[in-house]
């Protein structure tokens, strides 16, 4: 997705800062430009979530105009072009997730047949508990990446992607949200303990949420939700804690 400059720039030029971390299916971008500026973004194969850090701006899509401000957020589904205006003081994080990878994650978590394209509501309700989890995790991820020395361990990249996609599906309202409601069957405490034991025994191996769910015979959504309820963190967050205790650093 290559944006096109859609507004003239002052004679002073652009004082831009752009940092991007690219994983296999996920990208995390930080940017600021130092001057008022507009861009046109063509349709792409990514879900795009804009998370303003400072300043103000606006997003113009086919159906709506959304303000951009610190503490707020806006999300664009794939195959939808859009235009943005950034104020001179605007800074933001942008989370991009590949359309097919996120759809595959939804299928793996719920067992659903996805016969219509996954579409996310453009307005992100940051007051929802699930949304707060994603908002709190992203700054931690940025700090981790800032302190990292390349190359990143392959298992860390894979599990970070898995965690981000899981959080994204929980944090946003979308046309398959009904499959992720609170009436899903919970994992039992013995199943949670069994997963913890497996993670502790094989802490140095990459693992997905779906693999852990298969071990104890529940679906991935139930396992994720039950871990959150009874432990206060997800299975993959627990795996990160165990690795840290072993000095893996990631």
């Amino acid at each position: 997705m290559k944006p096109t400059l859609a507004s003239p720039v002052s004679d002073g030029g652009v004082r831009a800062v752009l940092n991007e971390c690219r994983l296999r299916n996920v990208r995390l971008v930080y940017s600021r430009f130092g001057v008022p500026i507009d861009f046109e973004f063509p349709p792409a194969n990514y879900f795009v979530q804009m998370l303003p850090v400072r300043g103000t701006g606006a997003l113009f899509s086919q159906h709506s105009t959304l303000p951009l401000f610190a503490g707020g957020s806006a999300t664009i589904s794939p195959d939808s072009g859009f235009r943005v205006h950034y104020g001179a003081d605007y800074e933001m994080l942008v989370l991009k997730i590949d359309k097919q990878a996120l759809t595959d994650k939804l299928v793996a978590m719920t067992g659903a047949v996805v016969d219509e394209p996954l579409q996310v509501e453009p307005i992100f309700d940051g007051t929802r508990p699930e949304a707060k989890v994603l908002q709190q995790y992203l700054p931690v991820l940025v700090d981790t990446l800032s302190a990292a020395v390349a190359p990143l361990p392959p298992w860390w990249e894979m599990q970070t992607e898995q965690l981000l996609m899981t959080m994204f599906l929980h944090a946003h309202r979308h046309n398959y949200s009904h499959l992720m409601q609170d009436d899903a069957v919970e994992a039992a405490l013995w199943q949670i303990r069994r997963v913890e034991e497996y993670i502790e025994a094989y802490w140095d191996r990459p693992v997905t949420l779906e693999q852990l769910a298969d071990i104890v015979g529940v679906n991935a959504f139930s396992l994720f939700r039950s871990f959150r309820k009874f432990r206060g963190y997800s299975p993959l967050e627990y795996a990160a804690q165990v690795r840290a205790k072993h000095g893996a650093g990631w």
Side-chain angles (χ1 to χ4, degrees), residues 29-154:
V29 183
Y30 166 83
S31 64
R32 70 170 186 265
F33 298 95
V35 296
I37 196 167
D38 290 38
F39 287 104
E40 294 274 0
F41 289 84
N45 290 326
Y46 282 92
F47 290 88
V48 180
Q49 183 176 2
M50 296 184 173
L51 299 119
V53 175
R54 187 173 292 106
T56 58
L59 183 151
F60 308 93
S61 67
Q62 183 179 358
H63 303 292
S64 60
T65 298
L66 301 175
L68 299 172
F69 54 90
S73 181
T75 306
I76 295 293
S77 293
D79 306 319
S80 300
F82 61 98
R83 180 176 180 270
V84 291
H85 168 75
Y86 303 140
D89 59 346
Y90 186 77
E91 298 179 38
M92 67 174 172
L93 288 174
V94 178
L95 177 63
K96 303 178 183 179
I97 303 180
D98 179 78
K99 172 177 69 174
Q100 190 59 55
L102 191 65
T103 302
D104 291 345
K105 185 66 175 176
L106 173 66
V107 172
M109 288 186 66
T110 63
V113 175
V114 177
D115 50 8
E116 294 184 3
L118 176 62
Q119 294 288 321
V120 173
E121 288 188 3
I123 299 177
F124 181 70
D125 183 1
T127 64
R128 298 174 61 233
E130 300 90 342
K132 290 180 179 179
V133 170
L134 179 61
Q135 288 178 313
Q136 292 166 359
Y137 175 70
L138 286 173
V140 175
L141 177 59
V142 169
D143 289 343
T144 299
L145 291 169
S146 298
V149 177
L152 299 171

Side-chain angles (χ1 to χ4, degrees), residues 190-206:
W190 73 263
Q191 292 169 311
I192 293 174
R193 287 194 292 269
R194 176 70 184 92
V195 168
E196 290 172 333
E197 291 168 357
Y198 180 88
I199 290 171
E200 290 164 1
Y202 301 104
W203 62 270
D204 57 342
R205 299 183 185 180

